[in-house]
Structure formats: C-alpha cells, structure tokens
Amino acid sequence: MDEQKRRAGRPAGSGAQLPPIERNRKTRQKRAVDGSTRLDFFLDPPQAGQLAELMEQWDMATRKEVVQHALDIVHQTVAKNRKAPA
C-alpha cells in the first residue's frame, strides 16, 4: 500500500482487516464478555421527542450518550432517595 494512501494511525504492514460484518460481531462479543448490555428497541414518539430535547439541552452528539447520562441521573436520584430519612 502506498504511504500516501494509508490512513493516519495505521501502521505499515498491519495485516488484512476483518470484513465489516465480522468486525462488528467480534466487537459485540467482546463487549458482552466485558459485561456490557445491548439495547435494541424503538421509543414511542413522545419519548423520542424527549430524547431529542435532552440531546440538544445537554449538547450531546449521540442518543447513546443521552441514555447513559439519563440512567446515571436516575440511579443517583434513586440512591439519594433511599438514603434520605422518611
């Protein structure tokens, strides 16, 4: 491969790349082994709108970031409420 054609960050002689489908499968398997949970579902229109609003308010680029941040907030709130005296 010509030096000019190689993308930045790829070393010379890095070997053959896996096809995209196989690469995605390997990534999913590794993430599953690492304890990650895969979510694959549709949101109803009202919740999809809320997600879009949160993306804009929190200045986040991906839905994944927004969902993870929202889960963090919910978890902190629930934990705080458990500790609060009744």
Side-chain angles (χ1 to χ4, degrees), residues 33-53:
V33 167
D34 291 343
S36 296
T37 299
R38 180 175 170 80
L39 298 177
D40 190 8
F41 56 86
F42 290 96
L43 291 174
D44 292 333
Q47 285 76 27
Q50 291 170 341
L51 185 66
E53 287 176 23

